[in-house]
Amino acid sequence: MVSDSIERRVTVADVAAEAGVSRATVSKVLNGRSDVAPATRVQIEAVLVTRGYVPTKRTKRPVVAVRRGGLMEMLFNDPSTPWAAEMIRGAEEAARSARVGIVVSVLDQARGQQWLEDIADRSPRGIILALSELTAADHKRIEKLGVPAILVDPVGDSDTGIPSIGAGNWGGGMAATQHLIDLGHRRIGMITGPMRFLCSQARLAGYRATLERAGITADDTLVEHGDFHYSSGHKLALALLDRPEPPTAIFAANDEQALGVYAAVQQRGLRVPDDLSVVGFDDVPMSQWVTPPLTTVRQPIAELAALAVRTLLAHQDGTEMPEGRLELSTKLVVRGSTAQLARRRTR
């Protein structure tokens, strides 16, 4: 009798298309070849499991059949942000093929142990920790559940042993800054995220490294430390614009703060990009809807969540969890919020 878990035979071509790799790379993983990057291997093995791939007789390496159903827990500090919305979308898309439901929870320390008891009652197949930070005490509590977990873009270096997935924040900071330099800007301001976050530190480091490489002396008075929220971008952009020598461009460490920069520019009677070029980071959907559309660094938010889901499902079906951190690349998306310095109006 044919198993109900496999509607039709999944081919190597199907797996390659979903994983975004060549059929040859999938074949290498199936045959146990070592010449495949660890992150690529995890992605392929996860797709093999979630799609229920059944190897042919020629395949040397057995692949465990997928177990469908159940729940996957996503734990947030704040699930109401645009970043969280993209995370949830990516997780749901990846879980759908395995018929797994996504449950969104909030880590609320005020509720004591109740949040942990709620998770235990649901018996999830895995936990995605989409948190700004995870304390040692929180980790021990989660570990006691006996449920596999994975961190997404954790705040700092963690000795908890939980694997993590993140984006190339340093490279993204470099790309944003280099784009502005290529447009002729030299006084480039930056509004960071909270500096206890590794991603904020990396984006700022990429900004500074690119200025140095271009022979531009970094001006610390052009760097403001924000909190990733709209109000922070608005307030700090006003402070930068009111400097005796204001910047001609601002790199905001996330799109929500970049939209706050837009509001500050309008409040001062200026225009984007004629008076100020603006670059964000994340590429959430709203970045395309504002006027002008926001130039930003695309962080693969949905893909990060999808990879987390697939990794956890694959682990339960026999694939080892990755060690350390898996990193996906970022990409600069140029839209209408940046322009050559010569285009700017005289203030």
Side-chain angles (χ1 to χ4, degrees):
M1 183 175 69
V2 178
S3 171
D4 291 334
S5 67
I6 303 174
E7 289 76 14
R8 71 172 182 85
R9 182 175 291 277
V10 178
T11 67
V12 169
D14 294 331
V15 174
E18 184 163 336
V21 300
S22 68
R23 284 180 289 182
T25 303
V26 175
S27 295
K28 288 180 180 180
V29 171
L30 287 171
N31 290 296
R33 293 270 296 275
S34 61
D35 53 338
V36 179
T40 303
R41 180 180 299 280
V42 169
Q43 173 82 343
I44 292 171
E45 289 182 340
V47 173
L48 289 169
V49 171
T50 57
R51 290 295 301 274
Y53 177 81
V54 177
T56 64
K57 293 181 180 179
R58 291 177 294 173
T59 300
K60 298 177 183 177
R61 186 182 183 189
V63 179
V64 180
V66 65
R67 174 169 72 85
R68 294 180 181 270
L71 298 173
M72 185 75 67
E73 195 91 18
M74 292 191 77
L75 194 58
F76 291 91
N77 290 117
D78 181 5
S80 66
T81 65
W83 182 86
E86 279 295 283
M87 284 284 296
I88 294 167
R89 180 180 69 82
E92 287 181 334
E93 288 181 357
R96 192 174 300 127
S97 62
R99 296 176 184 167
V100 171
I102 298 295
V103 177
V104 176
S105 301
V106 177
L107 177 58
D108 185 356
Q109 300 289 3
R111 296 178 63 216
Q113 299 297 305
Q114 187 60 51
W115 65 272
L116 194 67
E117 294 172 8
D118 290 345
I119 293 175
D121 289 343
R122 287 188 285 271
S123 299
R125 292 182 61 179
I127 304 174
I128 299 170
L129 301 167
L131 302 167
S132 58
E133 51 193 320
L134 180 71
T135 66
D138 289 335
H139 167 251
K140 289 180 180 179
R141 295 182 185 117
I142 292 170
E143 193 175 45
K144 286 181 180 179
L145 293 175
V147 178
I150 193 163
L151 281 159
V152 178
D153 236 355
V155 161
D157 293 320
S158 174
D159 58 0
T160 62
I162 299 178
S164 66
I165 299 175
N169 292 295
W170 188 79
M174 289 193 71
T177 309
Q178 187 62 54
H179 171 63
L180 293 170
I181 291 172
D182 290 344
L183 291 173
H185 297 277
R186 294 298 180 268
R187 290 190 59 76
I188 301 170
M190 181 171 182
I191 300 175
T192 75
M195 292 310 294
R196 70 181 186 280
F197 291 11
L198 266 186
C199 62
S200 299
Q201 297 170 29
R203 291 170 199 178
L204 177 60
Y207 158 86
R208 285 177 168 157
T210 308
L211 291 177
E212 181 179 354
R213 187 175 65 179
I216 301 171
T217 301
D219 184 347
D220 288 340
T221 67
L222 294 180
V223 176
E224 296 283 359
H225 300 303
D227 60 12
F228 280 150
H229 293 297
Y230 175 93
S231 58
S232 168
H234 176 236
K235 175 183 176 181
L236 298 176
L238 287 174
L240 288 171
L241 291 172
D242 290 342
R243 295 271 194 274
E245 293 184 62
T248 63
I250 292 178
F251 167 36
N254 73 331
D255 289 347
E256 190 171 339
Q257 288 188 139
L259 299 185
V261 175
Y262 272 43
V265 171
Q266 184 177 23
Q267 187 173 333
R268 287 294 181 261
L270 305 173
R271 295 195 305 176
V272 175
D274 293 7
D275 300 296
L276 185 80
S277 285
V278 181
V279 179
F281 201 111
D282 282 341
D283 196 25
V284 296
M286 69 175 67
S287 65
Q288 304 175 53
W289 306 336
V290 293
T291 303
L294 178 66
T295 293
T296 187
V297 176
R298 182 180 184 275
Q299 178 178 201
I301 303 171
E303 289 91 333
L304 289 172
L307 181 56
V309 168
R310 289 170 177 157
T311 301
L312 290 169
L313 292 178
H315 172 66
Q316 284 209 329
D317 288 298
T319 300
E320 291 186 7
M321 289 284 278
E323 295 182 1
R325 175 183 170 91
L326 297 177
E327 192 165 280
L328 302 184
S329 61
T330 54
K331 179 182 178 182
L332 180 71
V333 180
V334 179
R335 299 194 180 104
S337 66
T338 51
Q340 288 283 344
L341 184 60
R343 277 189 51 190
R344 295 173 60 249
R345 299 182 303 175
T346 302
R347 295 188 183 179

